[in-house]
Amino acid sequence: MADPMIKKRIAILGPGAIGGFMASVLWKAGHEVVCIAKPEIVLHIRAHGIALQSNAFGSLVAWPRAVEALDTKPDIIFITTKAIGFEDAIQRIAVDHAAHAVIIPLLNGIEHMAVLRNRFGDRVIAGSIGIEVRHLASGVVEHLTKHARITLAADNAILAKKIPDIVALLIKAEIEMFVAENEAQLLWGKLVRLNALACMTAATGKSIGEIRNDAILRKNLELLVKEASEVAVAEGARINPGVVMEELDRLEATQRSSLYRDRMAGKELEVDAIAGAIVRAGAKHGILCPTILIYLKNLVEVIS
């Protein structure tokens, strides 16, 4: 995978908001893209393509191939499903078809890594994406932020050697790329920040700017960051709560979260994969997360 100019075979499992965005920009870059999805989504993509609306990447209609189950052997597989339904969705990828692929999950949370490695072995590179996108309708994706940033990490030395080629390929597709020092730093670095943003915006219905400007809500934001950071450190990551708060302070004032959008749309929330994962990891180390637990319980009650 040394030359980013060479067309690659890329599979996207779950062409929703993030998956639809990735499929569109990689198709635009000239790669052979196949989307793996439920039957009704496959039919829609085959008939209408994927419409991307983005100030950064332009408005376009991409025409990736769409299938219900992976029927080829790609070079890269991006897993972009929601945590809800994730374990059922990966059954659409036969182990044999993934035998030569690098698998990159762009999911929220941390627990998916063990599930993927249990199914596919040591071909999974940790990944995260910094982006705000909305799935407006089947096959219609709106990219709201001015950029798309992907960060990768691999503790496995063989996989780590593959990362520079993937970085070059994605930079060629105009995606900003970063490489973290290890998987714990990448996954927990995102999760600590995301948990605070997601819980606060979903629970209050407010943007991050409104939360920052309210003394009581800002204090809760700080507590969410502090508790998650303690768990992250116990899990081997170097997380400074002050630095995370600085990152949250730099977010665009209007930014919310996918958890907020899902709640507003009446969809099932993936809060257990975010806040729940932190509480479970904390329990392993005897670390209590009372503020996180309050927000988790409140949002779970919203679901039920």
Side-chain angles (χ1 to χ4, degrees):
M1 202 186 296
D3 188 348
M5 295 297 292
I6 296 176
K7 182 167 70 174
K8 303 299 177 187
R9 293 169 298 174
I10 301 174
I12 310 284
L13 176 64
I18 289 174
F21 169 84
M22 292 296 295
S24 298
V25 298
L26 290 168
W27 177 87
K28 180 184 177 184
H31 297 289
E32 182 183 320
V33 180
V34 58
C35 293
I36 310 157
K38 296 177 181 178
E40 61 273 19
I41 298 172
V42 168
L43 290 174
H44 184 92
I45 292 174
R46 287 176 179 175
H48 305 285
I50 299 175
L52 174 67
Q53 303 169 12
S54 169
N55 290 330
F57 291 84
S59 295
L60 64 104
V61 177
W63 292 94
R65 204 162 61 83
V67 297
E68 294 178 34
L70 185 60
D71 59 358
T72 187
K73 294 183 178 181
D75 302 302
I76 304 173
I77 300 173
F78 287 100
I79 310 289
T80 57
T81 65
K82 290 279 193 180
I84 299 163
F86 155 69
E87 294 196 41
D88 288 336
I90 61 174
Q91 304 303 316
R92 297 180 181 274
I93 301 175
V95 174
D96 288 347
H97 283 138
H100 303 291
V102 172
I103 299 168
I104 305 175
L106 298 176
L107 282 72
N108 293 327
I110 53 173
E111 295 169 330
H112 58 273
M113 293 294 293
V115 175
L116 288 171
R117 285 183 171 141
N118 184 58
R119 180 169 176 80
F120 299 113
D122 291 330
R123 293 190 298 282
V124 185
I125 290 178
S128 72
I129 186 166
I131 192 172
E132 189 174 6
V133 286
R134 291 192 298 182
H135 193 205
L136 298 181
S138 185
V140 182
V141 177
E142 182 182 23
H143 174 214
L144 301 168
T145 40
K146 299 174 182 177
H147 63 267
R149 296 190 184 105
I150 289 178
T151 305
L152 303 176
D155 294 343
N156 179 297
I158 295 174
L159 281 178
K161 290 179 180 178
K162 297 179 181 290
I163 286 180
D165 294 337
I166 299 169
V167 167
L169 182 151
L170 293 172
I171 287 175
K172 188 68 180 176
E174 301 182 39
I175 295 173
E176 296 180 23
M177 294 300 301
F178 298 88
V179 179
E181 58 187 277
N182 57 53
E183 292 181 7
Q185 198 67 29
L186 185 160
L187 294 169
W188 279 100
K190 176 181 178 179
L191 185 56
V192 171
R193 181 179 61 253
L194 172 66
N195 176 69
L197 175 67
C199 285
M200 290 299 298
T201 57
T204 66
K206 297 180 182 294
S207 69
I208 186 62
E210 293 171 316
I211 291 164
R212 292 189 304 234
N213 292 331
D214 183 298
I216 295 175
L217 295 181
R218 183 179 179 86
K219 181 61 177 177
N220 285 346
L221 188 73
E222 291 172 348
L223 287 171
L224 289 171
V225 169
K226 177 179 179 293
E227 292 173 8
S229 296
E230 291 176 2
V231 179
V233 170
E235 286 284 295
R238 294 184 298 101
I239 305 295
N240 182 325
V243 172
V244 178
M245 285 303 302
E246 289 174 4
E247 293 171 351
L248 289 167
D249 282 336
R250 287 196 297 269
L251 293 178
E252 296 176 21
T254 57
Q255 189 159 335
R256 289 180 167 85
S257 65
S258 60
L259 199 70
Y260 160 86
R261 289 189 292 276
D262 285 347
R263 180 180 179 183
M264 293 302 103
K267 296 180 180 178
E268 189 174 357
L269 305 183
E270 59 175 2
V271 65
D272 185 65
I274 300 171
I278 297 172
V279 171
R280 285 188 288 275
K284 292 190 304 181
H285 301 282
I287 299 173
L288 300 178
C289 303
T291 311
I292 297 175
L293 195 55
I294 288 171
Y295 278 88
L296 173 62
K297 287 181 176 178
N298 286 344
L299 289 168
V300 167
E301 287 176 4
V302 167
I303 298 171
S304 56

